[in-house]
Amino acid sequence: MRLTFPNGEHAAVTIEQGQVGVGSASGGGTSVVIEGLGPLHAVFASGRRGRWLTVPQGAMVVLNARPVKRIAYLRLGDLICLAAVQIRIESSEPPAAAPPVDPSARRRVAEDSSNMPKAALRGLSGPWFGRCIALSMPRSIGRGAGSDVRIDGPSLQERHASVDLDGGQLIVRTVSAVGTIRVNGHAVRSAVLSAGDQIEVGEHRFAVESPGVASTANRVSTPVPTHSDDPRSTSAAAMPTSTPNEDERRAPRDLSGVYLLIAAAAALAAALTAFFVYAPKG
């Protein structure tokens, strides 16, 4: 991932494996020095388990308009504010541009519904936060009353962008000639979408969620930074590796112990019966 600074406070910084501290004092973990921040204002990390942000106590950090107190997982396309300094998380490479519109390919895919991936947009901010809209048909995004995803903003057009299935791929395109969107932090006019991609339209953000759309090669599905106080830092070793049904299919169940228990119970019952029937009276 790359840390970019929209207002030019620092040159872009690429983090493939490891961490980068951002603050006002060099040394002590700070490698990106910017005046006006705390000595070590935030630490950005990227590794095999994903991407995350750690905030020292007392530092003011906002992620996509939501304050961060201690730790937060990062998506490509996130916007972080360290006091007055903005940092955007970008993918190392821009998303692939969408191919030219081919109406015949769209019709062929529409005729065979089995080719249509199950996908949805989930809101990450604003009035659409937490809400989902299925992408089983073309969807329009804009501030107009006829838009499927209606959002407001000074830079938004009546029909700002569209998300559609084109040739078996999920495509986002700007509809207006002056409209812009961002995918994983990169400003684009069109892009091929993958599961987990983040779309930014004005101040609004959406994530692509789909079991039928392939993820990008460099994305991990579940970032898990280790932190004892964070409830989301569940150890992978504590998660079940298989369901009971899978275990049953792997090996036949051994019932010899059950049969032995039944035989012992029967023998005990027979002994008790003989004692009470044949025991001498008196």
Side-chain angles (χ1 to χ4, degrees):
M1 70 175 180
R2 281 165 33 103
L3 308 183
T4 61
F5 300 81
N7 297 324
E9 293 91 347
H10 197 277
V13 178
T14 299
I15 311 174
E16 295 298 339
Q17 299 283 334
Q19 61 185 27
V20 169
V22 181
S24 59
S26 59
T30 301
S31 53
V32 175
V33 179
I34 301 176
E35 293 183 0
L37 300 179
L40 179 61
H41 204 105
V43 178
F44 295 83
S46 177
R48 182 175 55 85
R49 294 188 171 185
R51 314 169 188 90
W52 62 96
L53 166 70
T54 305
V55 180
Q57 186 175 5
M60 186 177 72
V61 176
V62 177
L63 168 63
N64 296 339
R66 293 177 178 272
V68 179
K69 296 299 183 182
R70 191 161 189 173
I71 189 170
Y73 304 131
L74 297 175
R75 288 177 178 267
L76 298 174
D78 283 341
L79 182 66
I80 299 98
C81 294
L82 310 183
V85 177
Q86 291 186 347
I87 299 177
R88 190 184 302 277
I89 307 298
E90 286 187 359
S91 56
S92 299
E93 298 293 334
V101 178
D102 184 357
S104 62
R106 184 181 293 110
R107 282 197 299 270
R108 287 195 300 271
V109 173
E111 290 170 359
D112 185 2
S113 59
S114 64
N115 290 336
M116 297 185 65
K118 293 179 174 61
L121 286 182
R122 180 170 63 87
L124 300 178
S125 64
W128 281 88
F129 177 77
R131 299 167 60 187
C132 289
I133 182 168
L135 300 176
S136 55
M137 61 181 69
R139 299 293 188 179
S140 59
I141 304 173
R143 59 183 177 87
S147 297
D148 298 300
V149 182
R150 189 176 180 184
I151 52 180
D152 294 321
S155 61
L156 299 179
Q157 308 299 312
E158 293 286 322
R159 292 187 72 248
H160 194 95
S162 66
V163 181
D164 195 3
L165 190 71
D166 190 347
Q169 294 178 310
L170 202 59
I171 304 294
V172 62
R173 290 186 175 93
T174 57
V175 176
S176 168
V178 297
T180 59
I181 55 177
R182 287 183 179 272
V183 175
N184 295 339
H186 294 272
V188 297
R189 295 299 307 276
S190 68
V192 178
L193 297 176
S194 300
D197 284 344
Q198 183 172 174
I199 304 172
E200 182 181 345
V201 186
E203 300 298 322
H204 304 266
R205 298 171 181 276
F206 302 88
V208 178
E209 295 188 345
S210 172
V213 176
S215 299
T216 53
N218 63 345
R219 181 176 292 114
V220 294
S221 57
T222 309
V224 188
T226 302
H227 198 289
S228 59
D229 295 333
D230 189 79
R232 294 169 293 179
S233 59
T234 305
S235 171
M239 301 298 291
T241 57
S242 61
T243 64
N245 288 337
E246 290 172 341
D247 293 335
E248 291 171 5
R249 288 194 295 268
R250 289 196 186 103
R253 184 177 296 175
D254 185 5
L255 300 179
S256 59
V258 176
Y259 295 145
L260 182 61
L261 181 62
I262 293 174
L268 179 61
L272 290 174
T273 301
F275 173 79
F276 288 111
V277 170
Y278 299 106
K281 304 281 192 297

